[in-house]
Amino acid sequence: MDKTTALAGIGALAHPIRLDAFRALVVAGEQGLTPGALVDMLGVAYAKLGFHLKDLNEAGLVTSEQVGRNVVYRAVYPQMNALLAYLTENCCQGAPCAVAPGSLPASPPTSSRCGC
């Protein structure tokens, strides 16, 4: 991932509604959620949610698919993981990480040595 793509992802998540919507889609998994379900979960207006889903889609963090009469939104896990990897790329000051890539600790490290 390059800096421009990372900034697009960070920017897309830098709003309470977009962050809540993205987190809900991550929890929903591959089945995804319709905008109506997200409106009910998040308590936001449908038109406002559509604007925010568009931003998440443009950043590559969600996809949309027409399923019958509904549109289903899904989180794009590879893009999410690439953003996390970009943000933690140099977390250990060049030393090998103590934790395998793709796994996150339950709590923050307790020493200055990387525990990511």
Side-chain angles (χ1 to χ4, degrees):
M1 175 171 288
D2 62 17
K3 186 186 288 188
T4 301
T5 305
L7 286 170
I10 293 165
L13 295 172
H15 187 281
I17 293 173
R18 289 191 296 267
L19 182 60
D20 289 346
F22 183 72
R23 292 184 74 198
L25 292 170
V26 168
V27 171
E30 288 300 316
Q31 79 178 37
L33 294 168
T34 63
L38 284 166
V39 163
D40 292 342
M41 292 171 73
L42 304 177
V44 299
Y46 188 84
K48 186 179 278 192
L49 179 67
F51 169 79
H52 292 296
L53 288 172
K54 179 179 169 274
D55 282 353
L56 289 168
N57 188 284
E58 288 176 355
L61 292 169
V62 303
T63 61
S64 62
E65 176 186 11
Q66 188 76 36
V67 178
R69 300 170 95 182
N70 297 309
V71 175
V72 175
Y73 284 86
R74 293 180 182 90
V76 179
Y77 295 100
Q79 186 73 354
M80 176 187 73
N81 289 332
L83 180 57
L84 291 170
Y86 180 84
L87 293 172
T88 59
E89 188 172 52
N90 296 310
C91 65
C92 305
Q93 299 174 338
C97 289
V99 177
S103 62
L104 298 174
S107 61
T110 56
S111 71
S112 60
R113 190 78 180 129
C114 179
C116 62

